[in-house]
Amino acid sequence: MKRDGFVLIAVLSMAVLVVMLLVVASTFAVSARQSVAAEAQKIPAFYAANAGLERAVARIDAYLGASGSRYVNSRPDVVANEVANVLHLSDLTSGAELPGGAFAVHGTADGGSVDLVSVGNAPSGASRSISLKYDVYYILKTLSNAAVNTTGRLVSSDRLVEGNPAAPVSSTPFTISCRSTCQPTGTTPVTYTVGVRSGPLPDVGDVVTLASQPATDLAFKVRHVDALAHTVDLAALDSSNTALSDGLSLTQTARGAALLTSAAGGLPVGGMDCQAYACGELDVRADRLFTETFGIGKPTFGGEIGAHYDADACSGVVRWIDLPESPAPTLTLSDCPTARIVVVRAPALADVPGGAPVNITVTLAPGSVFHGLLYVIGTHDLSASSASDHLPTGPGSNVTLSATDGSFVGSVLVENAVTDALNAARTTTLSGTTTAPPAANRCATPSGATGASTFCYDRSILSSLLSGLNAALPESAKPRVAVARYSWAENGH
């Protein structure tokens, strides 16, 4: 009898446990069903909120497409303010055309961006809020970041090339000493061997300038360091032959590379004169250099500018010059006091598969100065009316840039190869002679100094060209909006 009682108690306990489990499971099931039902009611609100964002962006695109040319030379923050205020995004609401829900979109300007918040409401009363940031931008990009860029081998670089002066990046300058006088050795490049009186030794490859006046044109690249003798070899990066003086304090400076060359496909970059000048690799494929520079391809750019060939003149900020068919075409750029962009393209002769390369020479008139951006297309890849600017078929060109008593101030870009094999074979040559005092307004040079033809990077000149470039390409330069990466968010979640 006692044993039967224990069995009864165990059975009752199991029954109570089962009932409790069923109650808990039922509670969870009801709760989950309610949550699913609540989320299901919010789905129309979510889609309504998304529809509001799409409607707002469509209205922005339509507005910029219709009147964007008036903002071609406006700052992005001005455009963003117009987008947020003139379009009255706060009044953008859905009507009867959206029976599955309703939305209301509010837009505010945030610098060069537009912040959109769209609130969607479902017929059930459920609500969802979504925010998204759109950046205002121009297709046209920063024009260059070095004095000379080339996608082929850079050879015979015996001209002085200057990078971009900037503020010091080191708080530990060093003071040089001259046992007698600081005399340069050689002419190309101008090199000084000096002792280090105090301070840490710089590293090979450092670019140094005056510690107290970092914005001056007195700048050098460290070519060699002798730790035992405490001496360094400094190669001048500017067009000045000014001698260093005893007790001068120098420090590292952040400078843009004076020379950039592409090594696409892992090809050797032999032939560059990187022992003297600030050099680096250009991390862009040759057939993408144009688009990476201007933001649009050659067909669009040439189609809006209009390709032609005539004597180079100072008319207009932007010119596109097709060289005449010749194995060795030459273009002489005239002296021009205003900054401009000149795009020079190789003749169609380069389209012959397996043919000999074209040898292009772009030169300055004696004593002239080219202010601005010179872009040389060494491969006549496609016509301006083509649908793409990829995969040119020509063998590429050898490009020579030369001058007599002249300077290229701004930046020079040479696209003289497109495939890996062409990168190894085609060359860009910097040359020139000096027989008279340098032309006025060339590279930053102390008064009365003389020097060889130079290539100087000038960020201010390139920045000043963007406005004129935008005006010359009104369709491509219209401001647009693009979704800011990782900006989508659901408010309240």
Side-chain angles (χ1 to χ4, degrees), residues 181 336 383:
T181 57
C336 187
S383 68

Side-chain angles (χ1 to χ4, degrees), residues 354-424:
V358 173
N359 295 306
I360 300 174
T361 299
V362 179
T363 185
L364 286 175
S368 297
V369 180
F370 178 89
H371 298 90
L373 175 70
L374 173 65
Y375 192 105
V376 182
I377 306 171
T379 303
H380 186 98
D381 49 1
L382 290 169
S383 68
S385 61
S386 293
S388 174
D389 63 336
H390 298 290
L391 304 178
T393 58
S397 302
N398 295 319
V399 179
T400 299
L401 304 169
S402 66
T404 301
D405 304 317
S407 292
F408 296 85
V409 183
S411 185
V412 176
L413 291 89
V414 180
E415 176 193 317
N416 64 355
V418 179
T419 66
D420 291 349
L422 293 181
N423 269 318

Side-chain angles (χ1 to χ4, degrees), residues 237-248:
L237 283 183
D238 52 52
S239 56
S240 168
N241 289 339
T242 302
L244 294 174
S245 59
D246 191 53
L248 197 64

Side-chain angles (χ1 to χ4, degrees), residues 291-445:
T291 303
E292 290 295 324
T293 300
F294 295 105
I296 56 178
K298 301 185 190 78
T300 303
F301 189 101
E304 289 194 46
I305 294 297
H308 56 276
Y309 177 77
D310 55 17
D312 174 56
C314 295
S315 59
V317 177
V318 186
R319 297 179 64 81
W320 176 294
I321 299 176
D322 279 340
L323 295 177
E325 291 194 16
S326 169
T330 299
L331 175 66
T332 301
L333 299 173
S334 58
D335 184 71
C336 187
T338 58
R340 64 199 196 277
I341 296 173
V342 175
V343 179
V344 180
R345 184 166 59 171
L349 185 66
D351 278 336
V352 180
V358 173
N359 295 306
I360 300 174
T361 299
V362 179
T363 185
L364 286 175
S368 297
V369 180
F370 178 89
H371 298 90
L373 175 70
L374 173 65
Y375 192 105
V376 182
I377 306 171
T379 303
H380 186 98
D381 49 1
L382 290 169
S383 68
S385 61
S386 293
S388 174
D389 63 336
H390 298 290
L391 304 178
T393 58
S397 302
N398 295 319
V399 179
T400 299
L401 304 169
S402 66
T404 301
D405 304 317
S407 292
F408 296 85
V409 183
S411 185
V412 176
L413 291 89
V414 180
E415 176 193 317
N416 64 355
V418 179
T419 66
D420 291 349
L422 293 181
N423 269 318
R426 303 296 169 247
T427 61
T428 299
T429 304
L430 310 182
S431 65
T433 59
T434 297
T435 59
N441 300 321
R442 51 184 286 168
C443 301
T445 308

